[in-house]
């Protein structure tokens, strides 16, 4: 790998970690916002839904912009916007003011994944590259969750969000001043061999990922509240439970990335989804905390481990020229659909309780497994 490609990959990985910190700290802020404003589960779910809707709408737009304009300029705009919006939380004190600020922040956060993943796909087609790229995002989240409790204790949730968003500023500057050809690859040299696939099959893959994430997103979004209301932890310690899922996520992404170079990416995703189903049930049972933590590590391994195989498979079956739009469309459709899962999840939790709702959240994951099984039989990929 040339020096310029190493610098590009390093910058993309650093940016991934920073961007995912800004993205995934929102569920960690939720118990504190809920405590301050005395929100119901439904109101808490609506807050996450509004954030996710804004994120979803702009993901597909961002991916398309990354295909037709210089990717580094598009990425720098996203990070500058993220760094500029989070300070507004210092002045947001009502429920609707907080929702508005988070929706604006979602616009900046939404830009990185479709554009950044497309750059990785164009320059590095190996599964281990996707695994390393995805693992750095989880690494950033893990560091954030480990520091979150201490930061919130000393700074409060508003200043904590500002501190965690600050790295977006130098990263945006790094993309802005990077070489004008960042991410450009000569198609004659790097264009991978594309396997023929029908639009129906691609749509079936989208449906499988949408339904899987519909259930998975609700579970992960409410994990901090689960730690408080079921696990008995104080709100400022609510990040303790999600830490274990991110501990499992990092090796999960690296290992499945490597495996994707040798085995069918679709079959890897299918197996991981099947393992996830009983794990969700398991964490709601009255096991000792140590056993629950082990289940959470495996849950993180299997859930996050689906991302590198997804990147490899999409690189194999889609055109490089529209790669940003392809990743953006998937990210947008997944997030737009799952944007409503926290709202539905919160509503059901108000009616049935968190434990019962966690168990019902496995239903869309089961449906995802059925969709993916059908796709594997039809395509043999």
């Amino acid at each position: 790998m040339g020096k310029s490609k190493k610098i590009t990959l390093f910058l993309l990985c650093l940016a991934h970690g920073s961007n995912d910190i800004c993205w995934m700290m929102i569920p960690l802020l939720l118990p504190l916002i809920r405590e301050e404003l005395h929100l119901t589960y439904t109101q808490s779910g609506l807050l996450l839904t509004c954030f996710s809707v804004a994120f979803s709408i702009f993901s597909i737009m961002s991916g398309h912009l990354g295909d037709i304009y210089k990717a580094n300029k598009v990425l720098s705009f996203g990070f500058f916007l993220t760094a500029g919006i989070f300070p507004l939380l210092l002045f947001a004190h009502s429920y609707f003011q907080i929702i508005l600020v988070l929706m604006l922040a979602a616009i900046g956060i939404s830009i990185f994944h479709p554009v950044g993943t497309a750059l990785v796909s164009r320059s590095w087609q190996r599964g281990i590259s996707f695994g390393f790229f995805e693992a750095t995002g989880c690494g950033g989240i893990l560091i954030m969750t480990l520091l979150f409790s201490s930061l919130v204790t000393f700074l409060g949730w508003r200043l904590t969000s500002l501190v965690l968003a600050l790295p977006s500023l130098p990263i945006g500057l790094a993309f802005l001043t990077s070489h004008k050809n960042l991410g450009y690859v000569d198609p004659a040299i790097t264009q991978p061999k594309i396997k023929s696939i029908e639009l129906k099959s691609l749509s079936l893959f989208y449906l499988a990922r949408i339904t899987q994430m519909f259930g998975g997103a609700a579970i992960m979004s409410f994990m901090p509240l689960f730690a408080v209301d079921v696990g008995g932890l104080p709100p400022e310690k609510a990040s303790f439970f999600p830490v274990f899922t991110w501990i499992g996520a990092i090796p999960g992404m690296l290992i499945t990335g490597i495996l994707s170079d040798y085995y069918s990416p679709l079959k890897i995703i299918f197996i991981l989804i099947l393992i996830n189903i009983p794990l969700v049930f398991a964490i709601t049972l009255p096991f000792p905390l140590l056993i629950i933590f082990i289940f959470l590590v495996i849950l993180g391994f299997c859930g996050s481990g689906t991302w590198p195989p997804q990147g490899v498979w999409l690189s194999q079956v889609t055109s490089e020229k529209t790669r940003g739009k392809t990743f953006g469309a998937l990210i947008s459709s997944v997030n737009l659909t799952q944007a409503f899962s926290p709202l539905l999840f919160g509503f059901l939790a108000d009616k049935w309780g968190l434990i019962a709702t966690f168990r019902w959240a496995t239903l869309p994951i089961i449906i995802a497994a059925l969709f993916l099984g059908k796709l594997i039989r039809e395509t043999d990929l």
Side-chain angles (χ1 to χ4, degrees):
M1 185 186 297
K3 183 178 179 180
S4 62
K5 291 190 69 174
K6 289 181 180 179
I7 294 174
T8 299
L9 183 59
F10 174 78
L11 179 56
L12 285 170
C13 290
L14 187 65
H16 195 185
S18 176
N19 190 78
D20 278 13
I21 285 174
C22 295
W23 186 8
M24 297 308 298
M25 75 170 162
I26 306 302
L28 297 185
L29 295 174
L30 187 58
L32 298 153
I33 298 174
R34 175 176 172 246
E35 181 182 50
E36 179 180 312
L37 301 181
H38 308 290
L39 304 179
T40 65
Y41 285 132
T42 303
Q43 290 172 318
S44 301
L46 179 61
L47 186 148
L48 292 177
T49 294
C50 291
F51 175 84
S52 296
V53 167
F55 182 96
S56 302
I57 292 173
F58 286 93
S59 287
I60 189 169
M61 296 173 58
S62 303
H64 183 58
L65 290 174
D67 286 332
I68 60 178
Y69 297 110
K70 294 176 181 177
N72 57 312
K73 299 300 189 286
V74 177
L75 289 170
S76 67
F77 172 77
F79 282 99
F80 284 144
L81 182 60
T82 299
I85 292 298
F86 271 99
L88 296 179
L89 284 175
L90 297 174
F91 310 100
H93 295 284
S94 73
Y95 178 62
F96 290 106
Q97 286 175 342
I98 292 174
I99 286 180
L100 178 60
V101 173
L102 292 181
M103 289 180 70
L104 292 174
I107 298 174
I109 297 170
S110 72
I111 291 175
F112 177 77
H113 277 88
V115 180
T117 308
L119 284 178
V120 174
S121 176
R122 292 186 179 110
S123 302
W124 303 272
Q125 283 85 41
R126 289 181 58 81
I128 183 56
S129 300
F130 280 103
F132 184 72
F133 172 73
E134 297 289 358
T136 54
C138 283
I141 296 170
L142 177 59
I143 293 172
M144 181 265 293
T145 50
L146 290 172
L147 296 176
F148 188 83
S149 179
S150 298
L151 288 173
V152 166
T153 300
F154 289 104
L155 300 177
W157 69 266
R158 286 182 173 83
L159 278 176
T160 295
S161 67
L162 177 58
V163 169
L164 293 175
L166 275 179
S168 298
L169 190 59
I171 290 174
L173 184 62
F175 278 119
L176 184 64
T177 57
S178 61
H179 192 274
K180 64 180 181 179
N181 287 329
L182 173 66
Y184 172 78
V185 182
D186 186 349
I189 299 176
T190 62
Q191 178 72 30
K193 184 179 180 181
I194 303 298
K195 300 177 182 177
S196 177
I197 187 172
E198 296 180 358
L199 179 60
K200 181 183 70 172
S201 297
L202 185 60
S203 300
L204 195 58
F205 180 77
Y206 274 42
L207 285 173
R209 296 298 278 165
I210 287 169
T211 50
Q212 179 203 348
M213 295 302 169
F214 185 84
I219 293 168
M220 293 306 299
S221 296
F222 275 79
M223 190 65 73
L225 288 180
F226 185 87
V228 173
D229 293 354
V230 179
L233 299 180
E236 62 272 14
K237 303 290 185 180
S239 63
F240 191 62
F241 268 39
V243 161
F244 289 94
T245 63
W246 298 119
I247 289 175
I250 294 175
M253 289 179 163
L254 291 173
I255 292 172
T256 60
I258 294 172
L259 291 175
S260 297
D261 285 328
Y262 301 96
Y263 302 100
S264 165
L266 287 182
K267 292 179 181 177
I268 293 173
I269 297 173
F270 179 67
I271 293 171
L272 294 175
I273 291 176
L274 289 180
I275 297 173
N276 254 3
I277 295 168
L279 282 174
V280 175
F281 274 94
I283 63 175
T284 66
L285 298 176
F287 287 109
L289 272 181
L290 179 60
I291 302 299
I292 297 297
F293 294 154
I294 293 173
F295 288 155
L296 290 174
V297 170
I298 302 173
L299 187 70
F301 183 102
C302 295
S304 297
T306 61
W307 291 103
Q310 172 184 286
V312 173
W313 189 75
L314 287 176
S315 297
Q316 292 173 349
V317 300
T318 61
S319 169
E320 184 176 303
K321 295 181 179 179
T322 58
R323 195 65 51 77
K325 187 177 180 180
T326 299
F327 282 108
L330 178 58
I331 293 169
S332 179
S333 57
V334 165
N335 281 277
L336 187 60
T337 304
Q338 73 184 25
F340 297 96
S341 69
L343 179 59
L344 176 61
F345 194 95
F347 175 78
L348 295 177
D350 282 330
K351 302 295 182 182
W352 300 342
L354 270 181
I355 291 178
T357 308
F358 260 66
R359 292 171 180 173
W360 275 105
T362 59
L363 181 59
I365 302 177
I366 294 172
I367 295 173
L370 295 175
F371 281 141
L372 205 56
K374 178 178 175 59
L375 177 61
I376 291 172
R377 290 194 301 271
E378 290 183 353
T379 62
D380 193 32
L381 290 175

